[in-house]
Amino acid sequence: MKESEGKHNKERNLLALTGAAALLALAANLAFSAFNSHRKKTKKKDLPGSNVRVNLSPSEILRLADRIIAKSKAVHDKVASVPLDKVSYVNVVSPLAELEAEQFPLIQSCVFPKFVSTSDEVRKASAEAERRLDAHALMCSMREDVYLVIKAVAARGEWTSAEAKCYIQSLVREFEQNGLNLTVTKREEVQRLRTQMDELSLQYIKNLNDKSTFLLFSEAELAGLPLEFFKGLDKAENGKFKVNLRSNFVAAVLELCKVGRTRRMVAVAYGKRCGDVNLSVLENLVQLRHKYARLLGYSNYADYAVDLRMAKTTSKVFEFLEDISINLTDLATKELNLLKDLKKKEEGEVPFGIEDLLYYAKRVEEQKFDIDFGALKQYFPVNLVLSGVFKTFQDLFGLRFEEILDAEVWHGDVRVFSVFDLSSRELFGYFYQDIYAREGKYGQTCVVALQNGALSSNGARQVPVALLISQFEKDISGHPGLLRFSEVVNLFHEFGHVVQHICNRASFARFSGLRIDPDFVEIPAQVLENLCYESFVLKLISGFHQDITKPIKDDICKSLKRWRHSFSALKLKQEILYCLFDQIIHSADNIDVVELFKHLHPKVMLGLPVLEGTNPASCFPRSAIGYEAACYSRIWSEVFASDVFASKFHGDPLNQYVGMQFRNKVFGPGGAKEPIEVLSDFLGREPSIQAFVDSKSECSL
């Protein structure tokens, strides 16, 4: 690798220096990029060590998918043919591990074009390839012949390393989660239940996605909403505006509308969506989940869902949620009283309801904090922010990012970077940066793992490759692309995932980068997201777009830090309410979900009742698909990330010694080590909720 590194050294562009040099480097980089985009095309360079393929045609995508499936079947057949008395790590486990490492970048080469391609035909082919590959993966996970030989290897207990033992146990567990340790009859029942659950989950979401419902309001009834909001509305024959019950319209009304009656009408209508229909779907879905879990040997679905996560047990989840809720009660009470007092001043004796929370929280924030987020955006030109992000992560984690010019990419906006260890100059991996908005592209900021790190049987290391996707404004003829502060925070978070993926040193692709415990995977990125509120970092990544030598002022930095926690206790209690609901319905049979919400709402929300006529259970998609019995996980990540940041980074957020410890002890192990051990090793103790609670109190209004 060092040989190829030297060979391409002159063709890479070093990014992110300090002080005035950073500004000169940024200007030079932009000028060179402009020159490079207009020069005569040259032969595109491969990325040494990367097996990711880009710019495949629709037919090439489908042919590659078929070759992947054929190779996978051949390897699984060969493994399954090993006599049970002849099984070994070498003839069973090693071929499967190498197959995973080899095929993952090829699978992703088929799948990721659906997120980024400008061609409708390519996106369709990518979706079809994904369908074929998913069907094949499901078939492989149900192969009893392969399960039996892996089980035989596990029974011998001949591990080559602790990580190899973890890998074999993971293989066995995956098969048994699909019922391979059950009788044929029970196994068929498991598959039947899974199919029914998938159908009901999709039905629940389909019902929610009905976009035909709307309410009519006059302009006066929508007082407080900006002109841009009205531009997105249709008008009825009577001249009133149609407010569609989509989440973006509802959120705008609840946060900005001055008319309490309008806020209440919208909140009630939004909370009544799908009513009895989705209520019935959810009740049936939960019962099927319990049956499914019991067939697999669990008492209930929550036990099944939590068993393989960092939390481990439902009792631990309940304890965690209740501890956080109790510790936030005093602060949340102060916040609620402040909002009630403000509503009384503005609307008289009308009772404060849950529908008033967003509006009055925003009103207090406007009074307490001198932050104009529209004006603040002028200080975050996208190229300057990126330069600052690069410098921050390079300095903190002892890395160097170098742009690879003339690498093959799927669009002219895409840039490719290699990542080196600063000291050893070892190539750690690559990342693609596809961050500007365009038609047909995936609309959210996210990171896609394109190739996982792994150690082959001959000792060679396969390097990780990541893709950062976003939809930022692009510089257009004198108008710089500017980022909202929320986009800056999101960029830090997702770039944390890029570095997390690339700095992983696991031996098995299965444990590499982002393929780790879902309770843990967001914690490192949440830790790094905190950097956005540190004055030193804010000044590094900001500069007025007409004069980037002028960063945001100290008082704004302080206000942003305080604003971050404003009314956070009350808002978090509302999230805890839904997490408790999700955990309870998946922990017991025959729960009356309507009565459960009526009971939980005032208990958690300091006496505020559920909105009369609404049924939150009928419009709570996280519990229906994707996060069932695991809604707590986002709070879990935030809480323990706060502990890590407060204990190790607070006061000196760019301390490279701490950064290197984080890189080696947190990023390094990936999924090969229990998350609680990873955090305890880094912290020198078990993680705690106290730093999170203290951070809320310190920044209270």
Side-chain angles (χ1 to χ4, degrees), residues 345-364:
K345 288 178 184 176
E346 295 197 357
E347 298 186 47
E349 297 298 329
V350 181
F352 188 94
I354 196 70
E355 73 278 8
D356 297 315
L357 177 58
L358 290 178
Y359 175 74
Y360 281 103
K362 187 170 183 63
R363 292 279 289 112
V364 174

Side-chain angles (χ1 to χ4, degrees), residues 385-619:
V385 173
L386 282 169
S387 182
V389 169
F390 277 26
K391 174 168 173 52
T392 299
F393 281 81
Q394 287 178 122
D395 288 354
L396 185 58
F397 297 121
L399 302 170
R400 193 177 78 253
F401 305 148
E402 293 184 5
E403 184 167 11
I404 303 175
L405 304 175
D406 294 323
E408 186 172 9
V409 294
W410 51 91
H411 190 275
D413 289 341
V414 178
R415 300 169 73 188
V416 188
F417 298 87
S418 52
V419 181
F420 294 96
D421 176 72
L422 189 61
S423 299
S424 69
R425 291 186 58 78
E426 177 186 355
L427 176 68
F428 266 25
Y430 303 98
F431 67 91
Y432 292 85
Q433 179 182 285
D434 187 357
I435 59 171
Y436 296 112
R438 65 174 177 270
E439 189 73 24
K441 185 178 165 188
Y442 182 66
Q444 304 297 319
T445 299
C446 68
V447 172
V448 179
L450 297 181
Q451 178 169 294
N452 285 327
L455 203 60
S456 68
S457 56
N458 65 8
R461 176 161 288 280
Q462 176 173 285
V463 297
V465 182
L467 163 61
L468 174 63
I469 299 175
S470 196
Q471 287 275 41
F472 296 150
E473 287 181 27
K474 193 177 178 183
D475 291 359
I476 302 174
S477 58
H479 298 283
L482 302 173
L483 299 182
R484 298 188 301 274
F485 181 65
S486 60
E487 291 176 317
V488 174
V489 175
N490 205 8
L491 178 60
F492 258 83
H493 180 102
E494 296 303 332
F495 204 80
H497 283 311
V498 170
V499 177
Q500 177 183 5
H501 183 65
I502 288 175
C503 290
N504 172 267
R505 307 296 281 176
S507 299
F508 293 88
R510 176 170 289 227
F511 302 140
S512 176
L514 306 180
R515 298 186 72 181
I516 56 180
D517 188 316
D519 278 355
F520 179 73
V521 68
E522 293 296 331
I523 291 177
Q526 289 271 16
V527 170
L528 299 172
E529 191 179 303
N530 284 283
L531 293 172
C532 291
Y533 298 91
E534 297 296 318
S535 294
F536 177 79
V537 177
L538 275 170
K539 288 178 177 293
L540 180 67
I541 63 174
S542 67
F544 188 60
H545 70 94
Q546 292 177 333
D547 181 359
I548 59 174
T549 64
K550 295 180 179 177
I552 60 175
K553 296 178 180 177
D554 289 331
D555 59 335
I556 297 297
C557 294
K558 292 175 183 176
S559 291
L560 282 171
K561 200 164 189 174
R562 290 177 56 234
W563 164 83
R564 181 189 190 189
H565 295 288
S566 65
F567 296 103
S568 58
L570 202 50
K571 292 173 184 175
L572 195 61
K573 268 187 165 286
Q574 190 172 21
E575 188 174 351
I576 289 171
L577 162 68
Y578 281 86
C579 293
L580 286 170
F581 170 82
D582 171 61
Q583 207 65 30
I584 290 170
I585 64 172
H586 287 107
S587 297
D589 284 307
N590 303 316
I591 298 290
D592 185 328
V593 295
V594 176
E595 289 303 314
L596 176 60
F597 246 114
K598 286 181 179 178
H599 167 74
L600 282 177
H601 206 286
K603 180 182 176 183
V604 178
M605 294 304 296
L606 308 172
L608 292 179
V610 67
L611 262 174
E612 189 175 348
T614 64
N615 187 5
S618 69
C619 44

Side-chain angles (χ1 to χ4, degrees), residues 646-667:
S647 302
K648 294 291 186 177
F649 291 92
H650 184 66
D652 190 6
L654 297 186
N655 183 304
Q656 195 182 74
Y657 174 78
V658 175
M660 290 299 293
Q661 290 283 303
F662 194 78
R663 185 184 111 178
N664 296 329
K665 293 185 175 183
V666 179
F667 290 155

